[in-house]
Amino acid sequence: MSECTHDCSSCSQSCSSRTAPQDMHIETNELSNVKKVIGVVSGKGGVGKTLVTSLLAVEARRRDFKTAILDADITGPSIPKEFGLKQRATGDEQFIYPVVTKTGIEVMSVNLLLEDEKQPVVWRGPVIAGVVKQFWNEVVWNDVDYMFVDMPPGTGDVPLTVYQSIRLDGIVIVTSPQELVSMIVAKAANMAKMMNIPILGIIENMSYVKCPKCGEEIKIFGEGHTEETAKEFGTTLLAKIPFDSELSKLSDNGCIELFEGSWLTEAADKLLK
Ligand code: ADP
């Protein structure tokens, strides 16, 4: 048998270069320094993943951490809308520069690059995945303590690329009570487990509505079982966020940095150590 040359194209040996799982993580550029990266995922769209990403970033910034958001939801980019960002991101031959929100959160999103933000992104999976990688290694992320990644929904090609290329320290799963009963959340959680990424916790969104007259918490989707489900996934329930019309107003008007609820205080205590 021939000796292993470590050149897999000309060698037939099954040495560890061929059989060991490849580390496909890519590094940021030399001008960037990102300390912790937290992915925010959901099984499907519309459960409040973008809203929760924004709220976590606002909490982190309020605690004086240097904070950034990488909007990896390329086909449904809504982060700029939450923060009322209208300007375009700039760049030079080598790098792209993020847009900074009113309170100082660095943001990169495909909507900050498009001429017309209402135009759909009609790109195939590999192109979208390439853009996410560029957001990671071609954007200048200035000395970031916490980066939140608004992950693409589902368990397809693009989330897979994000998991493989960006060195995530953990993920937070956002779910609504009715989504939890479907198998979609379990799929998202299992994908993270398969990629060896710690699940930092679950945030239940649209858990209840507070009666404006008596303050009673009305569970419109019935009693959630998030705590039990979190245990099944080997993690914890970090927070329950109500359906709140003030919250949706702030989010629709680009003023999410003004939110006043304390629903995420404990979650932030646990996540931002
Ligand atoms: P996703 O990122 O999962 O697709 P979004 O965060 O964009 O979902 O939320 C979908 C819509 O629901 C947005 O208009 C958002 O403002 C609204 N929304 C999400 N969570 C809440 C909430 N707790 N209270 C009120 N509106 C919410």
Side-chain angles (χ1 to χ4, degrees), residues 42-59:
S42 67
K44 62 178 171 84
V47 295
K49 172 177 60 66
T50 302
L51 185 79
V52 171
T53 308
S54 308
L55 293 177
L56 287 173
V58 170
E59 277 282 346

Side-chain angles (χ1 to χ4, degrees), residues 1 7 30 34 46 108 111 124 139 146 156 169 189 198 205 218 222:
M1 249 200 230
D7 176 0
E30 64 273 22
V34 184
M108 181 48 66
N111 258 11
R124 293 200 187 272
V139 170
Y146 285 98
D169 291 283
N205 188 31
I218 305 158

Side-chain angles (χ1 to χ4, degrees), residues 42 44-52 73 78 81-82 150 205-206 241-245 247-248 251-252:
S42 67
K44 62 178 171 84
V47 295
K49 172 177 60 66
T50 302
L51 185 79
V52 171
D73 194 349
S78 338
K81 192 201 84 189
E82 301 275 341
D150 190 358
N205 188 31
M206 307 187 199
I241 305 178
F243 190 90
D244 181 80
S245 58
L247 203 51
S248 63
S251 128
D252 289 345

Side-chain angles (χ1 to χ4, degrees), residues 49-50 53 68-82 106-112 128 131-132 135 141 147-153 162 166:
K49 172 177 60 66
T50 302
T53 308
I69 302 177
L70 189 161
D71 187 356
D73 194 349
I74 303 291
T75 52
S78 338
I79 291 286
K81 192 201 84 189
E82 301 275 341
E106 294 177 26
V107 175
M108 181 48 66
S109 166
V110 81
N111 258 11
L112 300 173
I128 297 176
V131 171
V132 176
F135 281 1
W141 298 109
M147 173 186 278
F148 295 92
V149 181
D150 190 358
M151 298 281 283
V162 180
I166 300 180

